[in-house]
Amino acid sequence: MEELASTAGITVRTLRFYRERGLIPPPRREGRIAWYDDSHLARLRTIAALLERGHTLNGIADLTTAFESGRNVREVLALPAPSEEEPVRLTPEELADHFAGEVTAENLAAALDLGYLVADGEEIIHISRRLLDVSAALVREGVPLAEVLKAGARVREHADALAELFTELLRTYADGDDLWRLRPLAKSVVEAELSMALDRRLREAPEAPQASGTAS
């Protein structure tokens, strides 16, 4: 316990408190010896990261309990049942493979803040396979992951505003039971407008300057 606390940068007293609250799993016991491993250290680091971002111990405990009780990822992340997004479970090595050289502490913190990532012991859950694949594709095309995450935060703001607009519209003119049925119509309007907006912007964008050189 002392070795684990020291490696995690916390006191033994804090570690005992986390253990009593059920925030970390019990150690593996061999007689009177209690063995902690990398999964315990990963959980402690996740707790520290979530606390730094304003999450409460009660909220962290609820998430931990949900995982350990076997509830599926969609339920734990509070995704609505009709959601089209498929969460993905990854090892840290698999996440690094998606974003070669870009998985820094700063980028991980930004992804946690956006809710893209949730840590579960030694594994990581990405909330959306589509977002994971698109983000990785952009990074492979040379866009820094930090900039992809900044763009994601801005898109989130606009997406929330659009969702609020259409939710109010549908609630005004449709019965409550029809809201989910009409959801695809709102999505189609946004997709069509975004498609046309991209066309306009790309036509207006100046061509990249041609590289020039001199013979020697």
Side-chain angles (χ1 to χ4, degrees):
M1 183 175 283
E2 290 178 356
E3 292 175 3
L4 177 63
S6 176
T7 304
I10 60 176
T11 65
V12 172
R13 181 178 180 182
T14 298
L15 179 56
R16 286 200 180 100
F17 175 73
Y18 289 168
R19 178 70 191 89
E20 291 168 0
R21 290 287 302 271
L23 293 172
I24 64 171
R28 177 174 58 85
R29 292 194 173 274
E30 292 182 2
R32 299 181 62 182
I33 300 176
W35 293 97
Y36 292 92
D37 56 29
D38 288 341
S39 66
H40 295 92
L41 181 59
R43 179 68 64 84
L44 289 173
R45 288 175 173 164
T46 299
I47 292 170
L50 293 174
L51 287 173
E52 287 177 3
R53 285 156 185 78
H55 295 271
T56 66
L57 285 176
N58 285 339
I60 297 171
D62 288 343
L63 182 61
T64 300
T65 300
F67 276 121
E68 293 179 350
S69 65
R71 288 162 58 191
N72 70 29
V73 173
R74 186 179 302 284
E75 183 181 359
V76 170
L77 299 179
L79 293 173
S83 174
E84 300 168 46
E85 303 312 311
E86 176 192 358
V88 185
R89 186 178 289 272
L90 304 160
T91 65
E93 292 78 15
E94 289 170 338
L95 181 67
D97 287 342
H98 276 79
F99 305 101
E102 298 269 351
V103 181
T104 63
E106 292 78 10
N107 287 338
L108 283 174
L112 283 168
D113 284 340
L114 281 168
Y116 286 171
L117 299 180
V118 176
D120 178 31
E122 293 183 333
E123 291 188 312
I124 297 167
I125 297 166
H126 195 293
I127 195 172
S128 166
R129 182 178 294 279
R130 283 201 295 180
L131 285 176
L132 173 65
D133 291 343
V134 170
S135 299
L138 287 169
V139 170
R140 287 195 299 271
E141 293 294 333
V143 182
L145 180 56
E147 297 303 319
V148 173
L149 292 169
K150 288 178 184 177
R154 293 185 62 189
V155 170
R156 173 76 58 82
E157 293 176 4
H158 294 297
D160 282 342
L162 288 168
E164 181 178 3
L165 185 157
F166 277 102
T167 300
E168 291 180 357
L169 179 68
L170 294 178
R171 283 176 175 164
T172 300
Y173 296 101
D175 295 332
D177 294 339
D178 290 332
L179 295 181
W180 283 106
R181 182 176 62 81
L182 297 175
R183 175 182 179 274
L185 300 180
K187 178 186 170 186
S188 294
V189 171
V190 173
E191 287 180 341
E193 287 290 352
L194 177 59
S195 177
M196 291 187 289
L198 284 169
D199 290 343
R200 290 194 298 270
R201 290 289 184 177
L202 292 173
R203 283 195 296 266
E204 296 168 1
E207 293 185 3
Q210 295 294 320
S212 61
T214 57
S216 58

